[in-house]
Amino acid sequence: MSAVEHRTTLQEYVNSESLNQVDGDGLGAVIMAIADGSIQVQRQVQHAALGDALGTTGEINVQGEIVQRLDQASSEIFVQTLSGSGHVAAIGCEEIERPVIVEGEVADGYIVLMDPLDGSSNIDVAVSIGSIFGIWKKKPGETVNDDSLLRLGSEQVAAAYLVYGSSTVLVLATKNNVCGFTLDSESGAFALTHPNIKIPEECPYYSTNEGNNKVLDEPTQKAIANLRNKYSQRYVGSLVADFHRNLLKGGIFAYPADQNRKDGRLRLMYEANPLGFVAEQAGGAASTGYRRILDIIPEQLHQRTPLILGNKDVVEEMVSVIKAG
Ligand code: AFP
């Protein structure tokens, strides 16, 4: 007997009235395209070492990083499933320099920004990695072009991420709520396991790369020292895995700007905006240290931003220490 038989599946959830009332029936198709792609990616990740899919392609991506084979494979899989959904007008991807404008007229289409495989440095060492998606609705009557992807984070209609770890979990945030679905390897379906997620009030953890402390400015060093004195450190080095733990258990993630990275390391459009949307829908907050992530007016598809996200009161306290200088 399959474990999900008495649980709502993702397909049933997206077909449910509540989601469709939010933004029409195309959103369900986009989310199922993400789910279908993630099942293929999860399989590739699990069998990578066996199938000689580890290692790099030798190419350098628009971020100046060496492309991992699985990065490329994941990017191709999601571009295919999203383009095939019939409801996606354009895709922005960490691994692809220019936006992918989907052929053919997509009347009530969506615009999807994605990090197809987050945590590249952990791929070859079997540590949790993930995929991240921000979903915007195309403006009515808009002819999509490169600038159509430069939207405010607060205009997202939904955001989702996958963690490929001890289990494969898809977390979906809409304007209604945040829910988690676990992939059942027997039925191949995602089943609702975490309904109505809210970040807990307690905050046991802080997640940051302490190796960067020496190149932070003084106010930020002070803010990190406060975290160090109050909370236990947990840092996987995959944003999606660190965020997921903190979302379920309580915690704060911080990747501030530093002397070497004046704009921080993480990407605004397909890392900070989607996870900022999830955090806010779950009662948390997302900031640069000076302003709300979802209020940033984007200028470039691959622009970076400092990122602090997690428990609202802890994020606000860190921001006040940084601003106090
Ligand atoms: P990518 O694999 O997408 O480049 O992500 C890696 C990452 O951006 C993010 O997942 C981590 O939180 C962060 O980098 C880790 O950076 P450090 O290695 O500098 O700690």
Side-chain angles (χ1 to χ4, degrees):
M1 179 172 80
S2 164
V4 302
E5 259 159 32
H6 61 283
R7 289 180 183 275
T8 304
T9 64
L10 178 64
Q11 183 68 74
E12 288 160 349
Y13 179 82
V14 299
N15 292 347
S16 74
E17 273 314 297
S18 60
L19 187 70
N20 293 338
Q21 270 158 9
V22 173
D23 272 289
D25 57 5
L27 185 55
V30 175
I31 291 161
M32 291 316 293
I34 289 171
D36 295 346
S38 72
I39 292 169
Q40 298 175 49
V41 169
Q42 186 255 3
R43 206 171 295 132
Q44 293 222 6
V45 168
Q46 296 243 316
H47 298 95
L50 301 164
D52 196 26
L54 293 177
T56 71
T57 65
E59 289 157 38
I60 304 288
N61 68 14
V62 63
Q63 326 284 345
E65 295 160 346
I66 300 177
V67 178
Q68 304 286 324
R69 285 198 188 137
L70 279 172
D71 275 331
Q72 190 157 44
S74 310
S75 172
E76 288 161 5
I77 286 169
F78 285 121
V79 167
Q80 195 200 15
T81 58
L82 289 166
S83 309
S85 72
H87 290 275
V88 173
I91 302 165
C93 174
E94 179 190 33
E95 300 303 330
I96 307 173
E97 184 158 1
R98 299 282 310 280
V100 176
I101 307 296
V102 179
E103 290 305 315
E105 183 44 37
V106 182
D108 68 342
Y110 293 83
I111 290 171
V112 178
L113 278 287
M114 67 177 183
D115 180 352
L117 205 56
D118 172 61
S120 307
S121 59
N122 283 325
I123 292 175
D124 293 7
V125 290
V127 170
S128 297
I129 52 182
S131 305
I132 309 173
F133 304 85
I135 305 171
W136 285 256
K137 192 154 175 87
K138 189 182 88 159
K139 293 180 181 154
E142 176 184 25
T143 303
V144 172
N145 59 39
D146 289 12
D147 293 342
S148 309
L149 284 76
L150 301 180
R151 302 276 296 274
L152 282 173
S154 57
E155 292 174 0
Q156 286 173 100
V157 292
Y161 68 82
L162 275 293
V163 180
Y164 311 111
S166 49
S167 60
T168 294
V169 178
L170 183 154
V171 171
L172 169 64
T174 64
K175 292 173 190 163
N176 267 3
N177 60 17
V178 180
C179 291
F181 301 81
T182 301
L183 180 61
D184 171 46
S185 50
E186 269 181 43
S187 66
F190 281 97
L192 181 59
T193 46
H194 303 76
N196 205 18
I197 298 172
K198 291 290 178 202
I199 293 187
E201 286 206 4
E202 63 277 2
C203 176
Y205 303 125
Y206 79 104
S207 309
T208 195
N209 183 339
E210 285 275 13
N212 296 336
N213 199 61
K214 54 190 172 301
V215 288
L216 297 175
D217 64 23
E218 221 180 293
T220 310
Q221 282 188 0
K222 214 159 89 188
I224 298 278
N226 285 352
L227 300 180
R228 194 181 302 126
N229 296 334
K230 286 185 180 171
Y231 312 115
S232 293
Q233 198 205 15
R234 292 283 187 282
Y235 189 67
V236 173
S238 295
L239 166 64
V240 75
D242 283 313
F243 175 71
H244 187 63
R245 178 212 316 108
N246 295 345
L247 180 73
L248 298 185
K249 303 273 186 188
I252 183 170
F253 174 96
Y255 209 115
D258 59 47
Q259 288 161 21
N260 306 327
R261 296 184 184 97
K262 298 271 179 280
D263 300 320
R265 176 188 174 126
L266 301 169
R267 279 50 63 127
L268 172 65
M269 294 311 294
Y270 39 78
E271 290 180 313
N273 269 333
L275 297 185
F277 183 87
V278 176
E280 289 197 4
Q281 296 303 318
S287 172
T288 64
Y290 293 92
R291 56 189 307 213
R292 181 183 177 230
I293 290 286
L294 301 190
D295 290 340
I296 299 174
I297 300 172
E299 289 156 11
Q300 291 143 19
L301 179 58
H302 302 287
Q303 73 182 73
R304 297 177 188 261
T305 179
L307 179 62
I308 300 170
L309 83 166
N311 287 59
K312 194 166 188 300
D313 55 340
V314 184
V315 170
E316 288 167 353
E317 187 191 345
M318 186 167 182
V319 168
S320 63
V321 172
I322 291 172
K323 282 184 176 174

